[in-house]
Amino acid sequence: MQGKGERKIVSSKDVARLAGCSQSTVSRVLNRPESVHPDKRERVLQAIEALQYKPNMAARSLVAKQTYTIALISGTLRNDFFAESTDRIVEYARKQGYRTIVYFESEGSLGDILAQVRSYKVDGILISCMKLEDPHYEAFATCGIPCIWFNRRHKRGGNYISMDNITAASMLTRHLLDLGHRSIAYLSGHRDISTLDERWTGFEAAMQDAGVPIAEDQVHFLDPEDSAIQKLTWKLMQRLTPPTALVCGHDELAIVCMDALLSMGLRIPEDVSVAGFDDIRMSGHQAIQLTSVGQHRFDMGEVAAEQLIALMHAEAGKEQSVIQFRCKPELFVRKSTGPVRTEQEKARNGRI
Amino acid sequence: MQGKGERKIVSSKDVARLAGCSQSTVSRVLNRPESVHPDKRERVLQAIEALQYKPNMAARSLVAKQTYTIALISGTLRNDFFAESTDRIVEYARKQGYRTIVYFESEGSLGDILAQVRSYKVDGILISCMKLEDPHYEAFATCGIPCIWFNRRHKRGGNYISMDNITAASMLTRHLLDLGHRSIAYLSGHRDISTLDERWTGFEAAMQDAGVPIAEDQVHFLDPEDSAIQKLTWKLMQRLTPPTALVCGHDELAIVCMDALLSMGLRIPEDVSVAGFDDIRMSGHQAIQLTSVGQHRFDMGEVAAEQLIALMHAEAGKEQSVIQFRCKPELFVRKSTGPVRTEQEKARNGRI
DNA sequence: CTGAAAGCGCTTACAG
DNA sequence: CTGAAAGCGCTTACAG
């Protein structure tokens, strides 16, 4: 009753029969065509075409060295940074003849993901979402599959590509200090992630360099959920002496924060300046105009994919060199940051 | 020199040896535990734990009926609608014990994707990006794997879940007409996609009902690329009699459009109203406030995943019933749309 | 309830 | 350059 649905899958045996050769030869035509006599090769190719034969990847992975598949383990798509990098990586890999299996960190522990990845025998792994001290680092590093960490580093190092987040944070903080801000609040996800840890470090250093004290109640590391961010923003801005600028650990968070500020009737940057990290696409939108520091025209994801593929090919040959890239950050000054206004200053001074 | 990297993968044979039973029994413990004697089952489970055994999925798919894997073939993540639905689907499927392999339409023709999906033997397929007349429809419909189309339909029907886009477009158009707009431009991606085709149909019908003519030069179906959208927006708004409102085929496009309008120095909605479809997350942002029609609190992707899993289970049993859902659209009126202003009206009337 | 055997579709030494 | 054979790790009738 199922009709065509029941049709048998064409196997390399069928191709061999039609081409009048052995299954081994069909396999060779697919994997090392130059090792097969041209005439025979041609006949096999014709049989493949005639039968619309597609090799069964599951069977192939069971036995082969190469799968032409890379695994991408990505942070949540709710952060546009990951949506953008996933998009770029999949596209880049495809052009190089690789397919990408995307896993999301929400899909379970990295341990489970590694188990899956191993059983499917991918050729390489790209990880954008490992925590600074994740215990699974070792398992990945020694699993025998080339791995590259990008965006977030692990404390053990390994092959990674990330932005120089310390410098990035210093640049951003410097920018706010130059605009006259002295009361700067800091909102971020937790520091168990290298990017956020480094950004905080850079912020702290820049403030210290400038001799500007950081009030403890201006600094918040929180679960990056919309409602928590909004509540915190309200709380901060309703103080008697609200901060004149907000540094957010990443743009996605900054944009939620802006939403909260606008809903309070505050103007950006007249009442408060806002700045973030990553320079996601939306930050450049005319209605958002978020000042941000990121690595423009140097997509980390794509670079990571490029390096991974190089590593996969090198693997065959000589010894490995460790790949460690630090992308230089670039500051994009937009309208969300502006000079401290006289009223703000006056209000503050009046109270001090 | 590779150390642990070279360690042999633990197989079910190893587990069997340790537990003192056959490989078949190990397999049964994994697949139909109730068919194994409790004592023996316990010993196998312990061996699995001790060896940290993880079944090899590639081998399993080669032979098994079930893979606990579903394939999602999604539109580009550059459209936030797809990022949101992918996120939800992966999460929902995971909770139901299924993993999701995500393919993006950019990864090649749907034919190639189907070949891959078939060779990995997924249990079900979710497709959000098929064109109205895509020739691969048949291949999917008859491949023997349960499929559900969501968001976009194929003209042949099949199992689908989509918004009632005709009604959605009528509601949106009605809203603009009620605000007094008579010169409404329509910007959309090409109509080879059911959602866009239906939205246009609904718009046309609502305009006709209201007796408002649609000027041909106000209607544009274009490649939804940022630069093309911007150029078109500029062209439209620089006319002697620019439209007073813009209907965009989807929110992502509308947001790019707003970017262009703002960069021209136009105010929304004072100078021009903008409206879209999908109600993506950003549309609700205070800085965007895009009036949109979508299916709130009724995530299509999640419903599709739910229906697919039900279908996969039903498959085993009796005959199939076709699944066809039309989600009711909801109109979210926000600040991007407002009444035609007197100056606009006057300007237009003066010229007529 | 359990095991031995066959087989899923492929690739890779091993002989020729 | 080519084929027969073994095997990747699993599951599923088939006997017991």
Side-chain angles (χ1 to χ4, degrees):
Chain A
M1 279 308 269
Q2 287 234 349
K4 294 180 194 168
E6 286 298 343
R7 67 165 175 261
K8 199 77 183 50
I9 287 175
V10 189
S11 82
S12 62
K13 231 179 244 169
D14 302 319
V15 175
R17 197 176 310 126
L18 183 60
C21 68
S22 76
Q23 209 182 7
S24 324
T25 300
V26 175
S27 177
R28 281 191 200 100
V29 169
L30 258 30
N31 298 301
R32 275 174 290 107
E34 70 287 355
S35 74
V36 174
H37 187 91
D39 291 1
K40 198 153 251 180
R41 194 197 306 156
E42 195 45 46
R43 265 195 294 155
V44 170
L45 255 16
Q46 277 173 15
I48 287 178
E49 180 56 29
L51 262 30
Q52 282 287 323
Y53 165 70
K54 314 270 184 208
N56 179 316
M57 305 302 279
R60 181 178 270 184
S61 346
L62 202 54
V63 77
K65 304 196 156 77
Q66 282 197 71
T67 58
Y68 291 102
T69 299
I70 69 179
L72 165 61
I73 308 176
S74 170
T76 172
L77 292 179
R78 265 161 291 169
N79 182 342
D80 197 51
F81 171 84
F82 294 113
E84 288 178 31
S85 57
T86 297
D87 182 61
R88 296 282 294 269
I89 289 167
V90 169
E91 189 60 26
Y92 178 83
R94 190 184 63 78
K95 282 194 193 129
Q96 305 299 314
Y98 289 86
R99 68 181 196 129
T100 309
I101 304 269
V102 189
Y103 295 86
F104 296 104
E105 65 181 329
S106 64
E107 282 181 75
S109 98
L110 283 177
D112 294 344
I113 294 178
L114 178 58
Q116 278 197 21
V117 160
R118 293 190 66 161
S119 53
Y120 275 112
K121 292 194 185 154
V122 302
D123 293 352
I125 304 176
L126 238 34
I127 311 175
S128 67
C129 58
M130 191 175 271
K131 300 212 164 154
L132 197 49
E133 312 201 346
D134 194 296
H136 298 97
Y137 173 82
E138 273 299 323
F140 278 90
T142 63
C143 74
I145 304 170
C147 288
I148 289 195
W149 282 257
F150 79 96
N151 181 38
R152 300 184 190 161
R153 286 181 308 108
H154 188 272
K155 67 168 173 186
R156 301 287 303 273
N159 299 314
Y160 68 79
I161 290 160
S162 78
M163 183 162 74
D164 178 353
N165 286 292
I166 297 185
T167 301
S170 294
M171 288 166 69
L172 199 58
T173 311
R174 195 65 250 163
H175 164 67
L176 290 169
L177 289 166
D178 288 349
L179 287 170
H181 294 279
R182 291 299 174 269
S183 169
I184 307 177
Y186 194 89
L187 272 63
S188 165
H190 300 291
R191 270 192 295 159
D192 52 357
I193 288 168
S194 71
T195 41
L196 301 183
D197 186 53
E198 292 171 8
R199 287 166 188 181
W200 165 249
T201 303
F203 173 76
E204 227 181 351
M207 291 291 272
Q208 196 151 24
D209 277 4
V212 177
I214 303 176
E216 206 180 310
D217 64 352
Q218 302 269 61
V219 178
H220 297 270
F221 298 100
L222 73 171
D223 294 341
E225 275 151 26
D226 289 12
S227 60
I229 298 165
Q230 280 168 337
K231 257 182 233 157
L232 179 58
T233 308
W234 289 330
K235 218 178 71 188
L236 275 174
M237 299 308 295
Q238 273 163 210
R239 292 200 185 139
L240 282 177
T241 55
T244 65
L246 259 40
V247 172
C248 298
H250 59 283
D251 282 2
E252 195 70 38
L253 193 156
I255 287 175
V256 174
C257 196
M258 290 172 88
D259 191 24
L261 293 169
L262 293 173
S263 72
M264 293 175 78
L266 294 171
R267 294 159 305 162
I268 303 167
E270 289 83 354
D271 298 319
V272 59
S273 287
V274 181
F277 294 83
D278 288 341
D279 193 43
I280 62 178
R281 194 164 57 124
M282 204 61 207
S283 300
H285 193 282
Q286 288 289 332
I288 299 291
Q289 290 269 27
L290 174 62
T291 292
S292 181
V293 50
Q295 17 79 56
H296 215 52
R297 321 210 114 292
F298 187 92
D299 186 80
M300 249 189 319
E302 202 167 302
V303 174
E306 188 187 324
Q307 292 296 317
L308 179 67
I309 290 173
L311 189 60
M312 279 154 36
H313 292 154
E315 195 79 347
K318 58 223 114 186
E319 95 289 12
Q320 330 258 93
S321 57
V322 179
I323 294 166
Q324 300 195 334
F325 270 66
R326 284 284 191 181
C327 316
K328 234 170 97 179
E330 217 175 320
L331 177 64
F332 299 91
V333 175
R334 301 202 180 91
K335 299 224 179 94
S336 73
T337 48
V340 177
R341 300 188 69 208
T342 344
E343 301 95 278
Q344 289 180 22
E345 294 261 86
K346 267 203 302 227
R348 301 193 68 79
N349 291 336
R351 279 194 198 97
I352 289 165
Chain B
M1 276 312 266
Q2 287 236 347
K4 293 178 192 168
E6 285 298 344
R7 70 168 172 261
K8 198 79 182 50
I9 286 177
V10 187
S11 84
S12 63
K13 231 179 241 168
D14 302 318
V15 175
R17 196 177 308 123
L18 182 62
C21 70
S22 74
Q23 208 183 10
S24 324
T25 300
V26 175
S27 175
R28 282 191 198 100
V29 169
L30 259 30
N31 297 300
R32 275 174 289 107
E34 70 289 353
S35 74
V36 173
H37 189 90
D39 291 1
K40 198 150 249 177
R41 194 197 306 156
E42 195 47 44
R43 265 194 293 156
V44 170
L45 255 16
Q46 277 173 14
I48 287 177
E49 180 56 29
L51 263 31
Q52 283 288 327
Y53 165 69
K54 314 270 184 208
N56 179 316
M57 304 303 280
R60 182 178 268 185
S61 338
L62 201 54
V63 76
K65 305 198 155 78
Q66 283 196 71
T67 57
Y68 291 102
T69 300
I70 68 180
L72 165 61
I73 309 174
S74 171
T76 173
L77 292 178
R78 264 160 291 169
N79 181 342
D80 197 52
F81 172 84
F82 295 113
E84 288 179 31
S85 58
T86 298
D87 183 60
R88 296 283 293 270
I89 289 167
V90 170
E91 188 60 24
Y92 178 84
R94 191 185 62 77
K95 281 194 193 131
Q96 305 300 313
Y98 290 86
R99 69 181 195 128
T100 309
I101 305 269
V102 189
Y103 295 86
F104 296 103
E105 63 181 332
S106 63
E107 282 179 75
S109 99
L110 282 178
D112 294 343
I113 294 179
L114 178 59
Q116 278 199 20
V117 160
R118 291 189 68 160
S119 53
Y120 275 112
K121 292 194 184 159
V122 302
D123 293 353
I125 304 175
L126 238 34
I127 312 174
S128 67
C129 57
M130 192 174 272
K131 301 212 164 154
L132 197 49
E133 311 200 348
D134 194 295
H136 298 97
Y137 172 83
E138 273 300 323
F140 278 90
T142 62
C143 74
I145 304 170
C147 288
I148 290 195
W149 282 257
F150 78 96
N151 181 37
R152 300 183 191 161
R153 286 181 307 108
H154 187 271
K155 68 171 174 184
R156 301 285 304 270
N159 298 313
Y160 69 81
I161 290 162
S162 77
M163 183 162 73
D164 177 353
N165 287 293
I166 297 184
T167 301
S170 294
M171 288 166 68
L172 199 59
T173 310
R174 198 60 251 167
H175 164 66
L176 290 169
L177 289 166
D178 288 348
L179 287 170
H181 294 279
R182 291 297 176 271
S183 170
I184 308 177
Y186 195 89
L187 271 65
S188 164
H190 298 293
R191 268 192 296 159
D192 52 358
I193 289 168
S194 72
T195 41
L196 300 183
D197 186 52
E198 292 171 8
R199 288 166 188 180
W200 164 250
T201 302
F203 173 78
E204 224 181 354
M207 292 289 272
Q208 193 150 25
D209 276 4
V212 177
I214 303 174
E216 207 179 311
D217 64 353
Q218 302 270 61
V219 177
H220 298 270
F221 299 98
L222 73 172
D223 294 341
E225 275 151 27
D226 289 12
S227 60
I229 298 165
Q230 281 168 337
K231 255 181 235 158
L232 179 58
T233 308
W234 289 330
K235 218 179 69 184
L236 274 175
M237 298 309 295
Q238 273 163 209
R239 293 200 183 139
L240 281 177
T241 55
T244 66
L246 258 41
V247 172
C248 298
H250 59 285
D251 282 3
E252 196 70 39
L253 192 156
I255 288 176
V256 174
C257 195
M258 288 172 88
D259 191 23
L261 292 170
L262 294 172
S263 72
M264 293 177 78
L266 294 171
R267 294 160 306 162
I268 304 168
E270 290 82 354
D271 298 319
V272 58
S273 287
V274 182
F277 294 82
D278 289 340
D279 193 43
I280 62 177
R281 196 164 56 124
M282 205 59 208
S283 300
H285 193 283
Q286 288 290 330
I288 299 291
Q289 291 270 27
L290 174 63
T291 293
S292 181
V293 50
Q295 17 80 55
H296 215 52
R297 323 206 112 295
F298 188 93
D299 185 80
M300 249 187 323
E302 200 167 306
V303 174
E306 187 188 324
Q307 292 297 317
L308 179 66
I309 291 174
L311 189 61
M312 278 152 40
H313 292 154
E315 194 83 344
K318 58 223 113 185
E319 95 287 11
Q320 330 256 91
S321 58
V322 179
I323 294 167
Q324 300 196 334
F325 270 64
R326 283 285 191 181
C327 315
K328 234 171 98 180
E330 219 175 317
L331 176 64
F332 300 91
V333 175
R334 302 201 180 92
K335 301 226 177 90
S336 73
T337 49
V340 177
R341 299 186 70 206
T342 345
E343 302 94 279
Q344 288 180 23
E345 293 260 87
K346 266 205 303 234
R348 300 194 69 78
N349 291 333
R351 280 195 196 94
I352 289 164

